[in-house]
Amino acid sequence: MIEYKEIKLKEATVGDIPLIESYLLEENQYADRPIKAMTNSLHETEKHPILILSNEILVGFFILQKNKIIKNFQMDSNCLFFKDHSIDERFQEKGFGKLSIEALPKYIKKHFSNIDEIILTVDYENLSGQMLYLKTGFRDTKKRIKENGRSKFIYSKKLNV
């Protein structure tokens, strides 16, 4: 766990399931609800579900994954894939998305010492997500993929580890 300004990032455990089950997110969002995100692709390994907490209340969620395979995009072993980033709809527009991304380098340095780059995909239609990621230091790799019928940008952020 790390603390950053008014949030904490903590890897989810079985004991957090009641908290996670109360998470509110519209179905048409660009990320899956935490429970679904955690159970999707159970065959994938090295997935780390991370809770974004403020005053011990779950305000957001994301997954960090090592050794993710992205079609037509080479990820090195020193990369982490960042996915299913969302903020509970009751806490949106309060800066928690930005804070959680700003806290990422500190969390990664503490828990994944050999990682020096974060990779993510963001939907073409998700303009607010694109702006958030670009404002917080991600860059467009100029690579594109199609996933589940949706076109996506691939963004990258180098870490000063």
Side-chain angles (χ1 to χ4, degrees), residues 2-4 102-111 159:
I2 64 116
E3 294 187 31
Y4 178 81
E102 289 174 351
L104 258 181
K106 184 176 176 184
Y107 185 88
I108 290 170
K109 185 175 184 177
K110 179 176 180 180
H111 298 282
L159 302 177

Side-chain angles (χ1 to χ4, degrees), residues 21-59:
E21 287 176 333
S22 69
Y23 197 85
L24 293 180
L25 190 65
E26 293 176 31
E27 282 296 327
N28 62 351
Q29 289 291 317
Y30 297 105
D32 286 329
R33 286 188 174 131
I35 286 290
K36 184 175 180 186
M38 289 168 46
T39 57
N40 278 349
S41 307
L42 287 174
H43 65 279
E44 292 180 330
T45 59
E46 300 191 65
K47 284 172 43 173
H48 302 271
I50 310 298
L51 306 179
I52 305 165
L53 302 168
S54 178
N55 297 318
E56 304 307 317
I57 296 169
L58 178 61
V59 298

Side-chain angles (χ1 to χ4, degrees), residues 16 22 37 59 62 71 75 85 100 102 122 131 135-136:
D16 295 314
S22 69
V59 298
F62 59 86
K71 186 178 177 183
M75 276 185 53
H85 181 239
S100 63
E102 289 174 351
V122 59
M131 299 314 320
K135 278 195 251 179
T136 53

